[in-house]
Amino acid sequence: MELPADPQAPVAAAPRSPQLLIRAAWAALAFVLVWSAAWFYVPPLVRHVAEKAGAETLGRRLTMGAISFQPWTLTLVVESLAIAGAEQAGAAAGPTATPTAPQLAIGRIEADLAIESVLRGAPVVDSLRIEAPTLRLARDAAGRLDVDDVLQRLAARFAADKDEAPARFAVHNIVVTRGSADLLDAGVEASHRLRELELGVPFVSSLPSQREIQVQPRLAFVLDGSRFDSAAEATPFSDSGQGQASVRLVGVDVVPWLAYLPKNLP
């Protein structure tokens, strides 16, 4: 006589369908392919966005040399970035206009991005290195700088965006090396040369969780043969804005700057 089945007896689990494993494998493969494709798609995207921002925000042509992106280390490298100088006086605007030397040229920019950017919904950079930036400025006899047009654009943009929330970002380990700048001042018939610019900022952030982080920047350079070195401690994004600084000057020559004193000064 056959006994009825016990309803409480455990039922053997059905074997796991291989379809689930196959789908997981395909999903992983698709992720790897898409992530690896960033190596090809990110450089032209960066070039397009940067050149458009240069034209719209600065009113100057921005160009870049080689751009590379390593998706698995999230390292972006830009070679030979340049912002065009003001067009020569009297030159007609358009394709026939002859531009002056670049207003700003940077030999190399290397940025290590953080995957935390996705989680925070804001750019987070683990390190930013800027090599060999060169700035050229000129001041005419009337006291106008050849970057006044850029400054006016930035001021107007700032005034239009003053009611908006500040940009959210975090940048770690900012390093500027081998910087230089030249100023040709026709107003006082003098020229000034800045060389050996070194700048270090360990951390700068506007993210709410990092607002009280203290940064310790360093700035050093040689200006007209006088060496300048400084260090500071500050909380630039805190409500109090507290900070302190130390400055070291070696062999300062004030003669090149006497021309800027008022003529009627005793």
Side-chain angles (χ1 to χ4, degrees):
M1 180 177 181
E2 184 175 343
L3 297 176
D6 185 357
Q8 302 297 325
V11 179
R16 176 174 295 182
S17 173
Q19 293 296 327
L20 182 60
L21 297 178
I22 294 176
R23 290 176 182 176
W26 277 110
L29 179 61
F31 174 79
V32 170
L33 292 176
V34 171
W35 194 263
S36 299
W39 169 82
F40 179 79
Y41 289 106
V42 167
L45 178 62
V46 170
R47 187 185 302 275
H48 172 74
V49 172
E51 291 178 352
K52 182 179 179 181
E56 294 180 353
T57 304
L58 304 178
R60 299 287 183 88
R61 184 185 179 193
L62 186 150
T63 59
M64 290 179 288
I67 303 175
S68 62
F69 179 69
Q70 301 297 330
W72 299 107
T73 60
L74 296 179
T75 301
L76 176 68
V77 176
V78 177
E79 304 282 354
S80 303
L81 183 146
I83 298 176
E87 291 179 350
Q88 293 179 347
T96 59
T98 304
T100 61
Q103 198 86 62
L104 174 66
I106 300 177
R108 188 173 189 268
I109 301 175
E110 180 177 338
D112 291 334
L113 309 178
I115 194 64
E116 186 182 356
S117 301
V118 178
L119 303 177
R120 287 184 174 269
V124 178
V125 180
D126 282 337
S127 67
L128 176 63
R129 184 175 182 85
I130 302 174
E131 299 178 4
T134 300
L135 177 65
R136 296 179 177 87
L137 295 173
R139 181 173 177 262
D140 62 19
R144 294 186 298 265
L145 287 170
D146 58 352
V147 291
D148 280 348
D149 58 319
V150 176
L151 298 178
Q152 291 172 1
R153 278 177 169 268
L154 294 177
R157 188 179 184 90
F158 177 79
D161 298 342
K162 65 180 181 179
D163 295 330
E164 298 183 4
R168 301 174 67 250
F169 70 97
V171 183
H172 303 250
N173 303 314
I174 304 171
V175 176
V176 179
T177 61
R178 297 184 291 118
S180 64
D182 290 278
L183 170 63
L184 179 60
D185 194 341
V188 296
E189 299 181 353
S191 61
H192 303 283
R193 294 161 51 91
L194 183 146
R195 295 293 184 267
E196 301 179 29
L197 174 65
E198 302 289 334
L199 173 66
V201 180
F203 187 91
V204 177
S205 173
S206 64
L207 296 178
S209 61
Q210 304 291 347
R211 291 182 65 87
E212 297 301 326
I213 291 296
Q214 185 180 71
V215 299
Q216 296 178 324
R218 177 180 179 267
L219 175 63
F221 54 82
V222 177
L223 178 61
D224 293 338
S226 303
R227 186 169 296 277
F228 174 92
D229 200 346
S230 69
E233 294 183 359
T235 51
F237 296 101
S238 67
D239 294 334
S240 62
Q242 296 179 352
Q244 59 182 3
S246 63
V247 178
R248 181 171 178 264
L249 303 173
V250 179
V252 177
D253 183 6
V254 299
V255 173
W257 305 97
L258 295 180
Y260 295 94
L261 297 178
K263 300 297 183 181
N264 59 353
L265 186 68

